[in-house]
Amino acid sequence: MSSEHNIPIAALRAACLSHGLDGYIIPRSDEYLGEYVPPCAERLAWISGFTGSAGLAIVLAGRAALFSDGRYTLQMEQQVDGKIWECRHIVEDKPEIWLRQAAAGKKIGYDPWTLSADMLARFTGLEMVPLSPNLVDTLWKDRPAPPTGPALVYPETHAGEPAAHKRRRLGAALAEAGQDAAILSDGASLAWLFNIRGTDLEFCPFALGYALLHQDGTAALFMAPEKITPQLRTHLGPQVVIAAPAALPGAIAGLAGKNVRYDPATQPAWFQTALTEAQARITPGPDPVSLPRARKNPTEQAGARAAHLRDGVAMVEFLAWAATALPKGTQTELSASERLLACRAQQDLFRGESFPAISGAGENGAIIHYRVTAESNRAIRPDEVYLIDSGGQYLDGTTDITRTLWTGPSPAPAAVKAHATRVLAGTIALARAIFPEGLAGAHLDAFARQELWRAGLDYDHGTGHGVGAYLSVHEGPVSISRAARPVALAEGMILSDEPGYYLPGAYGIRMENLLLVQKASFADTKKPFLCFETLTLAPFDRALIDPALLPRESLDWLNGYHARVLAALSPRLSAGALSWLREATAPI
């Protein structure tokens, strides 16, 4: 915690006063409403000191509140000054309810580019005042410049489908729905639809911008001119008009009388206002790219398998090193995560981490989205729990894996093994699930929790999120959680499987694999069923497994999985790592 954020919040209050406002809302999201944002959009961190990937702040004249979800409860308390900020759970203490109670009827400012229309609609009973430019931007004197790296052509050998074919296919779907055009603002949607990637974000290969997709398959792409190369113009061809973001308002005005799809849940509220002023007919609906993007084509599926094979090699080389290094107590959270990054960097097609590694020893592992810093870094001690959640971006796929280790050399306590085994039982139960088509993530969430529930335990986060194909490690529209959107799982989707258990002040446990949705084969079924293919290839720490607590079917699955890991990785490992893997995957 630091009092240095007294100065920004005081300046923001003064700015509100000068604009005749009683308060201001600062979400974590940027102008594209993405989870990951460039440094120039880290407004929430600048005003509060909180660096989590989800959250929202409300600043009033005499009060200020910071909201985030269960992943960040402990992190909020550690990072922000409790004398300035009220830390609130965004689900249990909804921001709109807090604000109505604290400032009913008052004037509250917001940036219409950083709130969705659905989010804005929740603030009833208040006078919501749109402001441009963003008030925080006017105060942030050393704000980093927006990213201007080039947009890169993503080869069809990895994409699996020409961009022009994607545009025509999705344009035809718009026409069939009676829609003339659709708004696109998600960096992942632009990347997938146009077969491009970029360097605007540290962990997601996006070139940020906006687009309009028309029913005839033509499109307009609005992107900073510095990002546009001759190669990109050639790649996109004459059916894609390229313009600077400043041309976007004029393009929206040109949609007068047209039927335009706009997603009020995921796209900036600015578009709703601009379309209304242009007298366009708004059809609310999900981003038309999101579902096709989530259903990986055969090329993308093959790429995911290849990426996970290489990532498995990196993980096993790391785990073999950890088995010797961690019991000595000479490593730290930072040194361990750096070692894993070095192992990944040796793999073909590696482009970087897919998110900041969560390297948490002991009590730090109980902070669900802990991010180690030079200040928080601590030694990984003998005989404690160490959690490492990490992932890689490869040119052919995106990975995300969590393994929880007992550092040794002494045996793990029975209570720790019991917690870990119940978490692992949930990971296995979801991986083994077979279910009829049409089920959404909310229907599957309990598979991963059932063994924890039997012991009166649970975890305060979702069980699984979608994962992109060399895109974002967190990809919509599907997820596995009690609060998941009602989007059915479908063949080709990749999701994480990551139950956990967290004992504050002591340790955290999470066991995560990535799963690929596949058709299940039954000889006589009258309806189609789905199942999961496990993509991740790395053993679970047997020092944390109590076989007596695993159902027989789960133990059989685990032994079969470990045998598969050994067979797949053996030809690619160093001699030392192979020797360790043979022991780590021996039947239990």
Side-chain angles (χ1 to χ4, degrees), residues 171-172 205 236 262 268 371 379 577:
L236 294 176
Y262 161 74
R371 183 172 182 178

Side-chain angles (χ1 to χ4, degrees), residues 291 430 433 435-449 453 459 461-466 475 477-490 493-498 515 517 530 532:
L291 200 56
L430 183 58
F435 51 96
E437 278 189 358
L439 265 61
H443 301 122
L444 301 178
D445 183 71
F447 278 83
R449 298 180 191 264
W453 285 351
Y459 50 93
H461 60 75
T463 295
H465 53 81
E475 178 179 84
V478 292
S479 64
I480 299 174
S481 80
R482 284 171 282 194
R485 295 165 64 185
V487 179
L489 274 67
M493 292 178 174
I494 296 176
L495 297 106
S496 69
D497 171 9
E498 49 182 311
L515 307 176
V517 182
L530 299 171
F532 292 116

Side-chain angles (χ1 to χ4, degrees), residues 62-400:
R63 298 176 67 183
L66 179 65
F67 300 83
S68 192
D69 59 44
R71 296 171 297 170
Y72 294 112
T73 303
L74 293 176
Q75 185 174 331
M76 279 195 296
E77 294 174 355
Q78 291 182 355
Q79 289 188 323
V80 308
D81 190 339
K83 296 177 182 178
I84 301 174
W85 296 94
E86 302 172 28
C87 293
R88 302 279 182 161
H89 193 296
I90 201 166
V91 176
E92 298 170 0
D93 304 308
K94 297 185 184 301
E96 63 272 23
I97 295 176
W98 182 92
L99 187 54
R100 277 196 293 271
Q101 292 173 345
K106 300 292 187 179
K107 291 184 177 181
I108 306 299
Y110 71 96
D111 180 350
W113 286 100
T114 62
L115 284 182
S116 70
D118 278 0
M119 184 66 179
L120 182 61
R122 289 161 53 179
F123 292 99
T124 56
L126 298 152
E127 185 177 347
M128 302 298 291
V129 181
L131 284 181
S132 187
N134 189 291
L135 269 191
V136 171
D137 295 353
T138 66
L139 303 171
W140 189 356
K141 302 305 181 186
D142 57 349
R143 181 177 173 233
T148 56
L152 308 171
V153 176
Y154 190 57
E156 191 181 326
T157 51
H158 293 307
E161 182 181 7
H165 186 269
K166 292 179 180 179
R167 296 198 315 273
R168 288 193 296 270
R169 178 159 63 92
L170 270 60
L174 292 177
E176 186 176 350
Q179 296 161 10
D180 297 294
I183 304 285
L184 302 178
S185 61
D186 182 353
S189 293
L190 269 59
W192 184 89
L193 181 65
F194 295 110
N195 283 350
I196 61 175
R197 298 297 188 266
T199 59
D200 285 354
L201 302 177
E202 186 175 2
F203 302 103
C204 297
F206 295 171
L208 298 173
Y210 302 100
L212 290 174
L213 174 64
H214 300 283
Q215 64 170 225
D216 62 359
T218 62
L221 177 63
F222 303 90
M223 194 170 280
E226 299 91 335
K227 301 179 187 180
I228 308 302
T229 65
Q231 293 86 353
L232 182 70
R233 290 186 182 277
T234 300
H235 165 70
L236 294 176
Q239 298 301 303
V240 178
V241 175
I242 303 174
L248 182 59
I252 298 296
L255 295 173
K258 302 291 187 181
N259 189 336
V260 182
R261 182 189 289 200
Y262 161 74
D263 188 352
T266 67
Q267 294 175 340
W270 179 89
F271 284 102
Q272 184 179 65
T273 302
L275 288 167
T276 301
E277 291 176 349
Q279 298 186 329
R281 288 174 290 140
I282 300 175
T283 298
D287 177 341
V289 175
S290 61
L291 200 56
R293 183 189 68 222
R295 300 190 64 171
K296 278 63 178 177
N297 61 43
T299 299
E300 292 169 323
Q301 292 183 38
R305 294 187 189 97
H308 278 85
L309 184 63
R310 295 191 299 277
D311 203 61
V313 171
M315 279 300 303
V316 169
E317 293 287 351
F318 168 77
L319 292 171
W321 166 84
T324 300
L326 299 191
K328 298 176 182 177
T330 58
Q331 301 299 319
T332 68
E333 294 167 330
L334 276 177
S335 69
S337 63
E338 289 166 356
R339 176 76 182 212
L340 177 51
L341 177 57
C343 291
R344 282 197 169 101
Q346 295 176 12
Q347 305 305 311
D348 290 342
L349 305 186
F350 180 71
R351 294 295 182 267
E353 293 177 290
S354 56
F355 59 97
I358 300 169
S359 176
E363 72 284 353
N364 286 341
I367 303 172
I368 298 173
H369 269 205
Y370 172 70
R371 183 172 182 178
V372 59
T373 65
E375 292 73 28
S376 70
N377 183 40
R378 81 159 179 81
I380 303 174
R381 306 179 188 116
D383 296 330
E384 71 173 353
V385 175
Y386 171 62
L387 183 153
I388 178 72
D389 183 348
S390 66
Q393 289 285 15
Y394 299 85
L395 198 58
D396 51 358
T398 301
T399 71
D400 183 2

